[in-house]
Amino acid sequence: MKTKKNPVNKAAQIKAKREQQEKRMKRIIWITGACIVVLVALLLIIKPNSSSKGDFDYSAMPVLGNPDAPIKIVEMGDYKCPSCQYFTQEISPQIQKDYIDTGKAALYFMNYLIISPEADSSSAALAALSVFHQNRDEFWKYHEAIYKNQGDETTEWATPDFLVNLARTENIKVDYDKLRKDIDERTYQKEIDSQDETAKRLQIMSTPTVFVNGEKASDKASMDYTILKSFIEEKLAEQNKK
């Protein structure tokens, strides 16, 4: 036998279900709103980090040319990187001829260890910084000597003995005992770490990477002087308008 449903109970059930739906919708709205807030916050945080704009401390880096030149070119490099060797031997001379020697640009070097940060890349960077801090005029000579005598990318070659002997052979005017000590004791490790952090903050994925007046050039520019020259000219034109 069928029983007659109580209208009061039915209304109560409907009301309860409606309240549950409202609570569920409020929860969904709250979660959605919270997600939007978090997303916006993340975008605000990530956006500056993903920017290709570099804010460099030029006074702390080795410089080739006049520091007051209107164009500042920064190369992020790794002494064990074959492409960086190519940049130093093939691209840099063209930059020097067209822009550095004419007073239009200055070239800066920043370490970014990506190949063997615990071995050769690090030891070579420590040696180069020791030379830089001992005698800034000798830095570029030593810088070029390391690349000229660069070993194979897959083998360990930039040992302290090799780096000190290279300085002697090239007649780099520094204290060789101090050079050895600076490598062994990792005197300028904090400086290297700071440069690495700058590169990571800018989300740099390879070396060499080139910046011109704080703006990242395309990856192809570091290997193709025609592309890089066009970018430099663009920045030079911007400076001339100021």
Side-chain angles (χ1 to χ4, degrees):
M1 184 172 81
K2 293 183 179 180
T3 58
K4 189 176 180 180
K5 293 182 179 179
N6 189 331
V8 176
N9 289 340
K10 186 175 181 180
Q13 289 174 359
I14 293 172
K15 182 180 179 181
K17 287 182 179 180
R18 185 177 297 166
E19 288 177 349
Q20 289 177 352
Q21 289 176 345
E22 290 177 352
K23 287 181 180 178
R24 192 158 46 243
M25 287 303 298
K26 287 180 180 178
R27 191 179 301 114
I28 292 171
I29 292 171
W30 185 89
I31 293 173
T32 302
C35 289
I36 291 172
V37 170
V38 171
L39 181 59
V40 171
L42 285 173
L43 288 173
L44 289 173
I45 293 171
I46 293 171
K47 188 174 181 181
N49 289 340
S50 62
S51 171
S52 61
K53 186 74 174 180
D55 183 15
F56 300 107
D57 181 6
Y58 295 105
S59 64
M61 292 186 286
V63 57
L64 184 63
N66 183 0
D68 295 325
I71 297 297
K72 298 182 185 298
I73 303 169
V74 175
E75 178 213 349
M76 291 183 177
D78 183 326
Y79 284 109
K80 198 168 184 177
C81 167
S83 296
C84 297
Q85 181 193 55
Y86 177 85
F87 183 90
T88 295
Q89 296 180 341
E90 302 296 333
I91 305 296
S92 289
Q94 297 182 77
I95 294 174
Q96 181 157 3
K97 178 184 175 183
D98 292 341
Y99 297 102
I100 296 173
D101 291 346
T102 58
K104 297 176 181 177
L107 176 64
Y108 297 80
F109 180 76
M110 173 182 286
N111 293 289
Y112 183 30
L113 315 186
I114 63 170
I115 296 180
S116 58
E118 302 301 325
D120 286 7
S121 299
S122 178
S123 297
L126 288 165
L129 283 173
S130 176
V131 170
F132 171 66
H133 286 289
Q134 287 194 58
N135 186 346
R136 296 193 174 195
D137 292 337
E138 293 290 278
F139 171 82
W140 292 100
K141 181 180 177 182
Y142 189 60
H143 174 86
E144 292 172 5
I146 295 176
Y147 280 122
K148 182 179 179 181
N149 293 274
Q150 185 186 72
D152 187 84
E153 185 180 356
T154 61
T155 62
E156 186 174 343
W157 53 269
T159 63
D161 285 341
F162 170 86
L163 293 162
V164 174
N165 288 336
L166 178 63
R168 291 181 186 275
T169 301
E170 296 293 326
N171 194 29
I172 304 299
K173 296 177 177 59
V174 294
D175 183 325
Y176 303 122
D177 290 336
K178 186 177 188 311
L179 173 59
R180 178 61 187 250
K181 183 179 179 181
D182 285 342
I183 299 170
D184 289 342
E185 297 183 1
R186 311 188 75 82
T187 303
Y188 299 105
Q189 185 62 50
K190 288 184 178 180
E191 195 168 328
I192 292 171
D193 291 343
S194 177
Q195 293 177 349
D196 276 351
E197 285 302 314
T198 297
K200 290 173 183 176
R201 175 175 56 80
L202 293 168
Q203 298 185 2
I204 305 305
M205 304 301 292
S206 63
T207 55
T209 292
V210 179
F211 283 77
V212 181
N213 282 11
E215 292 191 32
K216 182 179 176 296
S218 69
D219 291 337
K220 291 182 179 179
S222 61
M223 293 288 99
D224 188 328
Y225 183 63
T226 301
I227 297 174
L228 180 56
K229 184 175 182 179
S230 177
F231 189 64
I232 294 172
E233 287 294 331
E234 178 184 325
K235 299 307 164 190
L236 192 58
E238 291 176 2
Q239 287 295 312
N240 291 336
K241 290 179 181 178
K242 293 182 179 179

